Amino acid sequence: MNFTIDRSPLLEALQKVQSVVEKKNTIQILGNILCSVKNQELSLCATDLEVGIRVTLPIDAKQEGKITLSAKHFLDIVKELPEKKLSITRKDNSWIELICEKSRFNIVSLPADQYPAFPEFEDKNYYEGRSDSLMDMIDRTHFATSTDATRYHINGVFLENLESKLMRMTATDGHRLSFVDYEVFLTNPELKRGIIIPKKGLSEFRKLLEESGPTVGLAFERGYLFVKSNHAHLFVRLIDGEYPDYRPVIPKNNNRTIKIDRQSFNSALKRVSLLANEKSRGVKLTVQNNSLVISSSNPDMGEAREEIDAEYMGDPLEIGFNSKYLLECLSVMKAEKLEFMLKDRLSPGILREMNQQNHTYVIMPMRI
């Protein structure tokens, strides 16, 4: 194996695959990147067996071949090199010689045949999806996924078909539920009962979407999601299990609607939550005619209270919520005005953006 490449695109590609590499290194080879040279192209592959990525770069190849290199050391070396051409050669002892101007490195490698087999990306049936819609769906749901290892089937987001060409992405941890509907594909894929995309795979998918064009290719096959974007391909092993039926949790008759300014609510909530109980993060909302009072109390720290304007006419209501859950949702909402729909102090609330009904956030109350 012998080729030359510019430092800048190589560094960018190494940074892209580095985040997929197995960090714990329980299997040594998974701490490496597979480098393959063929047809004047360099393919860099990384996997932790659950998620895998392949990035392809044009190079000037003099000899084809395959080798694996430590992802960390390879990246660290390239990062410190000057902005010049690099020459990489496989030597007789299977070490790799890397030369850049007056810098020379000899790096230990592991045989490519020890690396886990990668699936074929080219033979899949890809559906063209809108990148901006998919990014927004991920942003509005990923934070609500569960981190409880015993409830693995909600440790990811649920993607399913709806009617009228709509797709829905849903996330829940049992305390809150966030789902968003978008028209993503010209022709929807048949997902039958839907798929569950795990957190790490979702994170890598999101990174790929940022660098893709207006569309990205998605394929669904035998428990995997495949993504095709520019010169990068990604596979994600889906969570095997049935997502819980979340629809009964969505309140049907929340008849108290409070209209509030998003920024005012967000700022006041941040300040009041500073003195909330550090474990429960609980704050109390008191709604009455045209006002919303947010308060918190902590015997060890003190009390906080803020009042903001709100459009509301009706009976007063006091209800408690986890401030962290509210703030995480507010951080992904963009509209100036919000609608907070409540029923009573024991029923879940619904938070939506005014004039934008495609994103719904359901949050369970808490006793304060």
Side-chain angles (χ1 to χ4, degrees), residues 164-221:
S164 309
K165 288 192 176 180
L166 287 174
M167 300 292 293
R168 172 173 289 178
M169 192 174 278
T170 305
T172 184
D173 61 4
H175 303 288
R176 65 243 177 102
L177 168 72
S178 186
F179 62 90
V180 58
D181 304 338
Y182 264 114
E183 198 171 305
V184 178
F185 304 99
L186 282 175
T187 306
N188 275 5
E190 280 297 326
L191 297 184
K192 294 179 182 173
R193 291 180 299 170
I195 60 170
I196 308 170
I197 308 170
K199 251 182 178 174
K200 180 176 178 181
L202 194 72
S203 170
E204 296 303 326
F205 181 22
R206 177 69 175 78
K207 289 175 193 170
L208 220 55
L209 287 168
E210 278 182 17
E211 298 166 6
S212 72
T215 62
V216 65
L218 271 68
F220 310 88
E221 189 178 290

Side-chain angles (χ1 to χ4, degrees), residues 247-316:
R247 286 173 173 83
V249 178
I250 305 167
K252 301 290 188 294
N253 51 358
N254 283 17
N255 52 6
R256 304 182 192 212
T257 301
I258 305 122
K259 296 178 181 177
I260 44 179
D261 179 80
R262 178 180 57 83
Q263 286 190 331
S264 300
F265 184 40
N266 189 54
S267 300
L269 199 55
K270 278 182 179 176
R271 290 190 289 269
V272 172
S273 66
L274 294 173
L275 293 190
N277 180 291
E278 290 182 13
K279 191 175 180 183
S280 70
R281 311 298 301 161
V283 296
K284 183 165 69 177
L285 306 187
T286 306
V287 291
Q288 49 201 7
N289 289 352
N290 290 328
S291 90
L292 170 63
V293 175
I294 310 163
S295 58
S296 64
S297 177
N298 184 338
D300 299 325
M301 297 174 69
E303 298 176 345
R305 181 186 185 278
E306 282 225 22
E307 183 175 346
I308 63 171
D309 293 335
E311 289 181 43
Y312 175 74
M313 296 297 288
D315 297 333

Side-chain angles (χ1 to χ4, degrees), residues 112-123:
D113 57 12
Q114 292 182 17
Y115 206 77
F118 253 58
E120 287 295 328
F121 289 103
E122 283 73 18
D123 61 355

Side-chain angles (χ1 to χ4, degrees), residues 4 54 84:
T4 56
R54 186 185 77 190
K84 301 289 182 182

Side-chain angles (χ1 to χ4, degrees), residues 87-262:
S87 170
I88 296 177
T89 308
R90 179 181 176 178
K91 300 173 81 175
D92 292 339
N93 59 2
S94 286
W95 283 34
I96 292 294
E97 184 180 62
L98 190 156
I99 300 172
C100 181
E101 291 204 312
K102 295 181 180 179
S103 301
R104 184 185 297 264
F105 296 86
N106 283 299
I107 312 166
V108 176
S109 66
L110 288 173
D113 57 12
Q114 292 182 17
Y115 206 77
F118 253 58
E120 287 295 328
F121 289 103
E122 283 73 18
D123 61 355
K124 306 291 182 271
N125 179 26
Y126 288 96
Y127 293 84
E128 289 295 313
R130 288 170 48 199
S131 301
D132 56 350
S133 299
L134 286 163
M135 278 193 285
D136 200 43
M137 291 173 95
I138 293 170
D139 291 344
R140 289 174 182 270
T141 53
H142 78 95
F143 62 87
T145 54
S146 173
T147 55
D148 183 352
T150 63
R151 306 178 71 192
Y152 71 96
H153 53 293
I154 57 173
N155 287 175
V157 300
F158 183 54
L159 183 67
E160 62 182 321
N161 298 82
L162 297 181
E163 295 174 356
S164 309
K165 288 192 176 180
L166 287 174
M167 300 292 293
R168 172 173 289 178
M169 192 174 278
T170 305
T172 184
D173 61 4
H175 303 288
R176 65 243 177 102
L177 168 72
S178 186
F179 62 90
V180 58
D181 304 338
Y182 264 114
E183 198 171 305
V184 178
F185 304 99
L186 282 175
T187 306
N188 275 5
E190 280 297 326
L191 297 184
K192 294 179 182 173
R193 291 180 299 170
I195 60 170
I196 308 170
I197 308 170
K199 251 182 178 174
K200 180 176 178 181
L202 194 72
S203 170
E204 296 303 326
F205 181 22
R206 177 69 175 78
K207 289 175 193 170
L208 220 55
L209 287 168
E210 278 182 17
E211 298 166 6
S212 72
T215 62
V216 65
L218 271 68
F220 310 88
E221 189 178 290
R222 294 193 299 275
Y224 286 90
L225 165 67
F226 295 92
V227 185
K228 179 175 69 170
S229 166
N230 297 337
H231 298 293
H233 291 78
L234 180 79
F235 77 79
V236 180
R237 187 196 291 269
L238 302 173
I239 292 174
D240 183 19
E242 197 161 325
Y243 204 76
D245 185 6
Y246 60 88
R247 286 173 173 83
V249 178
I250 305 167
K252 301 290 188 294
N253 51 358
N254 283 17
N255 52 6
R256 304 182 192 212
T257 301
I258 305 122
K259 296 178 181 177
I260 44 179
D261 179 80
R262 178 180 57 83

